[in-house]
Amino acid sequence: MAVRVAVAGASGYAGGELLRLLLAHPNVEIGALTGNSNVGQRLGALQPHLVPLADRVLEPTTAEVLSGHHVVFLALPHGQSAAVAEQLGPDTLVVDMGADFRLKEPGDWEKFYGSSHAGTWPYGLPELPGARAALEGTKRIAVPGCYPTAVSLALFPAYQAGLAEAEAVVVAASGTSGAGKAPKAHLLGSEVMGSMSPYGVGGGHRHTPEMIQNLSGAAGVPVSVSFTPTLAPMPRGILATCSAKAKPGVSAESLRAVYEKAFADEPFVHLLPAGQWPATASVYGSNAVQVQVAYDSAAGRIIVISAIDNLTKGTAGGALQSMNIALGLEETTGLSTIGVAP
Amino acid sequence: MAVRVAVAGASGYAGGELLRLLLAHPNVEIGALTGNSNVGQRLGALQPHLVPLADRVLEPTTAEVLSGHHVVFLALPHGQSAAVAEQLGPDTLVVDMGADFRLKEPGDWEKFYGSSHAGTWPYGLPELPGARAALEGTKRIAVPGCYPTAVSLALFPAYQAGLAEAEAVVVAASGTSGAGKAPKAHLLGSEVMGSMSPYGVGGGHRHTPEMIQNLSGAAGVPVSVSFTPTLAPMPRGILATCSAKAKPGVSAESLRAVYEKAFADEPFVHLLPAGQWPATASVYGSNAVQVQVAYDSAAGRIIVISAIDNLTKGTAGGALQSMNIALGLEETTGLSTIGVAP
Amino acid sequence: MAVRVAVAGASGYAGGELLRLLLAHPNVEIGALTGNSNVGQRLGALQPHLVPLADRVLEPTTAEVLSGHHVVFLALPHGQSAAVAEQLGPDTLVVDMGADFRLKEPGDWEKFYGSSHAGTWPYGLPELPGARAALEGTKRIAVPGCYPTAVSLALFPAYQAGLAEAEAVVVAASGTSGAGKAPKAHLLGSEVMGSMSPYGVGGGHRHTPEMIQNLSGAAGVPVSVSFTPTLAPMPRGILATCSAKAKPGVSAESLRAVYEKAFADEPFVHLLPAGQWPATASVYGSNAVQVQVAYDSAAGRIIVISAIDNLTKGTAGGALQSMNIALGLEETTGLSTIGVAP
Amino acid sequence: MAVRVAVAGASGYAGGELLRLLLAHPNVEIGALTGNSNVGQRLGALQPHLVPLADRVLEPTTAEVLSGHHVVFLALPHGQSAAVAEQLGPDTLVVDMGADFRLKEPGDWEKFYGSSHAGTWPYGLPELPGARAALEGTKRIAVPGCYPTAVSLALFPAYQAGLAEAEAVVVAASGTSGAGKAPKAHLLGSEVMGSMSPYGVGGGHRHTPEMIQNLSGAAGVPVSVSFTPTLAPMPRGILATCSAKAKPGVSAESLRAVYEKAFADEPFVHLLPAGQWPATASVYGSNAVQVQVAYDSAAGRIIVISAIDNLTKGTAGGALQSMNIALGLEETTGLSTIGVAP
């Protein structure tokens, strides 16, 4: 049986990446594609890399257009998903690629997003403890943010195993596609090529409470996260450098053993052999996650570094992985662990 | 039936790209992988993006290792293929990704490569007139060079239709992977980022006689080609700007009609709608070719621009496409027209 | 005596580069800086690299603000310079960095810019035959376009010496700063990094008539130019690959001799030693031009390749060079031939 | 009086950048330029951006060649400076751009460099407490490492003022020129473009003890540093994200006040206005340092971010700044705070 899928927000980077992956999914039939300001345009003009869909035309993002599909993906600006989801009915699998349903604490939502909280849906990061069970059979999925995906996968095993003190420090570099396709002067090629710069420093980035939620859940105690995102001169990829003070008794060996066990059965997360370090190029366009751990005995810290493609595992690939679980399909269907390199 | 495939030269960029594609080919089973200086190393250390092959170990490039496969791909330095091919027997499909068997004229080979000519094999650019027939059932394939692929596809329709004078001018920009993985100072990231530079100017590039051979074949008369390659600050992609003086009576309409007809049934070559221009990002990692044509009435010239991924359609994807034809498989098997963008 | 200088359009790329150079000019005192939509903002927020000017505030672009300076540079959108220049009086040196006063033929202007022609000012490319004399003591300068600078310097010696047929073919790659600072989706870093693409193909680029004007002037007969610009993934730089059919009797030696003579006394144009090729990185941030020539005997064509920094020699550095001449200063004052590399 | 300067190691990136700056220094006369494997080559072939020195020829790195200069800069591989310096005599100002004389503790040197310690020279980071006095009149200068420059300037004020706990966490991104010009496969443009990757993780990078030395000196107690360097797809620049737990009572205001005071009189270090963040593009090719501070009250951490050009302030510019002090010249002579952007 073909799973009929609609994509709301098909002209942006998240929507485009999702369509790229859906085209390779053997069980999926691509239905309605909707946009906003570009309704009526050919997809070939907006997403010229999606050759098989070039002649598709964008429709308006309405419940009428989106109904009649088994799955509806929402790649909409924050705050717009709830109104659409309500009209889609409980039998439609709705996968929200925005932030609206990720946070459990209404206060966190209000503080970081400035509006009232829409609710909390099962969280689409299957590798987290307990996440897969919550996704099986669900009709609503909240896809994680790209940074929280990279950071939570890097640090949850250390917290789950009680190896790390409850204060994490994270510095992550992201490719520019994470900032979206809306034209802004500071995102021009002339500005970003040859430059690294931070933003949202000091705890202000909206992905911070999501990381705290995930790591606190793994640790069983509240974990603070000092998070600094930086913009890197590349279109795709996140490299997250995550660290925390080691609890007494931690050794390089015990640390590695915990990570080997945590990811032993994970199809997409790869703990690299000792001596090899993650690189975003290696996961370009793939759903794979590269992870490496180190114990700095002089500083007494655990360092975990992860690399993902922010658009694939960080957004659209993660969304598809969770859809597969929700629909009872093989989790890896239509998803690759092979990066496009060099 | 699984087609058992060996790859000689699995540690380079061409070999790595071929393996990336072979992993997605439903009829292929990957057999021996050979190297040279890196024999005995894990592929995961050399090609970290090829996760499913990470634990494979490189073997020496010998006839003994390569025998026992249905297909052997040779991604070897120029001049080394003939000796290997001879030992593989006439029933093995040998696909040479090097230059050794591309040229028909021994004099051209000797002038540009400085050694004696090994012979001529069926030419793996199926879109050229007559090429598909020569590939069906063959046991030997000469994969075209990356630049000749982009340039020949751009210009052959104009020459075949008699629209263009027999003097072509080509300026092409290539990503750095076309220059290979051997470390050289001028290919360091520090040197190439932020810089454009030409090389092989004035007719000296080894791909020139191959372009001349293809275009002269389409025209039925000798065509001269002034070819200037340039190195662009990107890992992949070729953008070829090709032009020739129009013959009397050519119009924008007649030109477009010829190109529409030439590529109407081609699965990988896409003549873009009027007003849209090729971009290498759109074909990143795909086997697609984007083409656009223009008629400059003031200068009296036909301009044809093509974009390919030099490693995919320009090397490994083109090789696989020709293998499919030779083996009687569907030509598009395992090959995508969907680029990884942005 | 300090030359008091105002800059209209100080927030864009051309204005910013001009200020970078003016800060290093020993005879200049920087006066009014004007903007448009960003009037009232600190320059430090708009041009954070210009540390010594960080606390300057942008004023409105009015004759009142701009009057009282010895020199006024106009870095305004096309079509806006004439109205400002008229109000500045005949004793003020007005240097227009836009296109308004470059073209001699009103018909060319109207065809390519769609408005009525404002006039023709002395042309600020001192290396062209006769150009220096016209610049000495002038009060009005039309700064050349960036592409015409690179292309005219590459080809005028061949045309002046009668070596080349009157049909030139030019393909040039430009960094993205040439497209300006106004945010547009196709100029986002995500779109341009890793991609080469053409634009204005087929004779439509507005710099085409300017090239034709310059080369026809050097040749003494009308020269046609087939010009294809491409956008390269780098912030700065133009690499122009220019060619024309050689007239009978041309040899590599005669060609080189002509170029050696043409640039022997030029402080900014460097004919590279045989075997070395221009690279845009070598002229990054400098007013230098690198040129190399080749004669392709098989194709019968002269190939000339030039590299400039589009913002320096291609815009602001060229403007300053011409200002120096007009004011009777040493032509090279405040201008460097040293690129920032790697 | 002209200061006669020799440069040992003129063909590498550090030597090239030093020459770029020396060419603009009004008191300097450039004397001998030495190399190693490229002795006898024209500098124009090795450093094509240094046009005024194109015809200089590299001499061997011997005491004979280097003697007879007022200043000798050593841009040599680690461990080679002592032998050269010994032969130069006590009246020559020797500026070592390598690591040999940076560390005070022989044990640190032996642990991180694996050879016996050559000694300790006055440390060329004038902005550190007490550093200027030690540089005045000295005949020996140890130029800091690029990362320690960025990190020490970012964190020393917080430690000097007693605001931060003695455990710093640093993640820094560097352009590829920091890795030098020797060709290595992982530094190829094909590998680094589009990719971020870490190296020397877990305390192994040789710049770690130098940071610890500087920050401990400012704090008056031993400070541990967890340092993770990453390689970014750009030729130049370091962005250092530095943090430490705040001591009780620290506020955003008290933090900012400390940094304003620390850099109030520094000609090259610029604390940005609140709300503006450092970007490496803004200091491209300049000796400026951009710094911004934040207090993350939720995580209880001080975050300081600095941006430098690794080759300028991080190496050659810093060396020249210290030379100016040692010679009694104005500290800023020949050094710019104006970046080349975009």
Side-chain angles (χ1 to χ4, degrees), chain A residues 13 176-178 180-185 187-194 232-235, chain C residues 13 176-178 180-185 187-194 232-235:
Chain A
Y13 289 144
T176 53
S177 60
K181 208 175 181 173
K184 295 172 189 165
L187 298 174
L188 286 173
S190 301
E191 300 292 318
V192 299
M193 288 187 285
M234 56 189 191
Chain C
Y13 289 144
T176 53
S177 60
K181 207 173 180 175
K184 294 171 190 167
L187 297 174
L188 286 173
S190 302
E191 300 293 317
V192 298
M193 288 186 286
M234 56 190 192

Side-chain angles (χ1 to χ4, degrees), chain C residues 64 74 80 112 125 137 156 160 168 196 199 203 207 225 278 292 301 307 326:
Chain C
E64 192 175 11
L74 304 178
Q80 302 190 0
F112 281 86
L125 192 54
F156 90 80
Q160 190 179 29
M196 292 282 303
Y199 62 104
H207 286 176
V225 177
Q292 184 57 289
R301 291 186 81 87

Side-chain angles (χ1 to χ4, degrees), chain A residues 13 24-26 78 99 111-112 188 200 202 216 238 275 280-281 287 293 301:
Chain A
Y13 289 144
H25 195 295
H78 299 317
K111 180 179 169 195
F112 281 85
L188 286 173
S216 299
I238 288 178
T280 62
N287 206 51
V293 295
R301 292 186 79 87

Side-chain angles (χ1 to χ4, degrees), chain B residues 26-105:
Chain B
N27 305 108
V28 159
E29 180 189 313
I30 298 176
L33 307 181
T34 80
N36 185 6
S37 59
N38 34 38
V39 165
Q41 291 191 45
R42 289 175 68 248
L43 199 67
L46 301 163
Q47 307 274 22
H49 59 300
L50 301 176
V51 171
L53 299 172
D55 292 327
R56 288 293 200 88
V57 171
L58 287 189
E59 299 180 79
T61 304
T62 64
E64 192 175 12
V65 168
L66 295 172
S67 67
H69 298 82
H70 301 105
V71 184
V72 175
F73 286 91
L74 303 178
L76 302 172
H78 297 318
Q80 301 191 1
S81 298
V84 177
E86 273 169 20
Q87 303 177 63
L88 290 174
D91 293 337
T92 307
L93 172 55
V94 182
V95 185
D96 185 24
M97 298 164 79
D100 296 25
F101 298 96
R102 292 173 189 161
L103 297 180
K104 293 176 183 164
E105 293 297 328

